[in-house]
Amino acid sequence: MPDRRIKRTKTNIYTALVSLLFERDIRNITVKELCEKADVNKSTFYLHFMDIYDCKEKWQNEMFDEILSKVDDFSLDKVVHAPEVYIRSVVTYFQENLDFYQKLASSPLAPEFSYNLKNKLSEKIIASNNLSTTDNQWEITMVAFIMGGIMDSCLINISHFDTEKLINLLNQLSDSIALYIKTHEKPKEKN
């Protein structure tokens, strides 16, 4: 029972935070204002978060985890040569959360959110494939380029989102990228 109350409290706080972030920069939001909007007292807020920045970071991490959970395997081979599953999963996720992402795309929060999402994506790719950031830069960059492009395409097209059209377009682009990768060798590093 307490877990549900904690989850509901955090959801209320996150909802209030996002609503305020859509309006203005985090530096202009107070904990008092956030708590009033979330209908929680400050002691409850501080039970879960150190400050408003910690709250924002935890909210973003939960959002990123939710997005990335739509793709269960970040294998290099599958991302490069069979990205259709990833494309459909990501585009469908954005479609299911269209109202939120339409608001996000037109808010001051959009560039930072997109940047942080791509960083989280790169971390997931590195961990899933046991890559070294120094030895596998080409592979990491290639997969991040493909996956980041899929996510950016969703955000860019959010105001006139057409799920099937976007999936088809992304599949065509992915096929072109895969063909390029198949016909070109991995570049040799310059000394």
Side-chain angles (χ1 to χ4, degrees), residues 71-89:
V71 180
D72 59 355
D73 179 9
F74 286 87
S75 141
L76 286 173
D77 189 53
K78 288 182 182 175
V79 170
V80 174
H81 301 294
E84 301 82 14
V85 172
Y86 302 104
I87 291 169
R88 183 160 294 280
S89 296

Side-chain angles (χ1 to χ4, degrees), residues 8-167:
R8 187 174 45 236
T9 298
K10 284 184 172 181
T11 299
N12 289 346
I13 292 170
Y14 290 152
T15 301
L17 175 67
V18 171
S19 173
L20 292 168
L21 287 171
F22 283 163
E23 297 170 7
R24 60 187 178 278
D25 188 86
I26 193 167
R27 293 174 295 200
N28 299 322
I29 300 170
T30 65
V31 171
K32 180 180 183 221
E33 176 184 26
L34 175 61
C35 290
E36 286 172 2
K37 191 163 185 80
D39 196 24
V40 298
N41 60 46
K42 285 172 78 172
S43 61
T44 301
F45 175 86
Y46 286 114
L47 187 63
H48 302 289
F49 310 104
M50 292 185 309
D51 56 25
I52 204 150
Y53 296 95
D54 180 49
C55 180
K56 179 183 173 193
E57 182 179 339
K58 287 180 178 171
W59 163 73
Q60 279 192 341
N61 285 334
E62 285 186 25
M63 289 293 299
F64 300 152
D65 289 344
E66 183 180 343
I67 294 168
L68 297 177
S69 74
K70 302 302 173 188
V71 180
D72 59 355
D73 179 9
F74 286 87
S75 141
L76 286 173
D77 189 53
K78 288 182 182 175
V79 170
V80 174
H81 301 294
E84 301 82 14
V85 172
Y86 302 104
I87 291 169
R88 183 160 294 280
S89 296
V90 172
V91 173
T92 300
Y93 169 80
F94 277 90
Q95 175 62 45
E96 290 168 352
N97 298 281
L98 195 58
D99 289 342
F100 171 78
Y101 285 102
Q102 284 177 330
K103 289 176 189 169
L104 176 70
S106 61
S107 79
L109 187 58
E112 176 192 353
F113 187 89
S114 178
Y115 177 81
N116 290 340
L117 176 58
K118 287 180 196 168
N119 279 339
K120 191 81 165 179
L121 173 64
S122 293
E123 290 170 10
K124 185 83 167 178
I125 291 164
I126 292 166
S128 296
N129 294 282
N130 296 319
L131 300 175
S132 157
T133 54
T134 53
D135 297 334
N136 302 106
Q137 191 155 13
W138 186 81
E139 291 87 350
I140 293 166
T141 302
M142 176 184 56
V143 176
F145 176 79
I146 293 168
M147 294 300 294
I150 293 168
M151 291 181 188
D152 273 351
S153 296
C154 290
L155 288 172
I156 288 169
N157 288 289
I158 206 78
S159 63
H160 51 277
F161 206 85
D162 181 329
T163 306
E164 289 307 315
K165 189 175 183 180
L166 187 55
I167 288 171

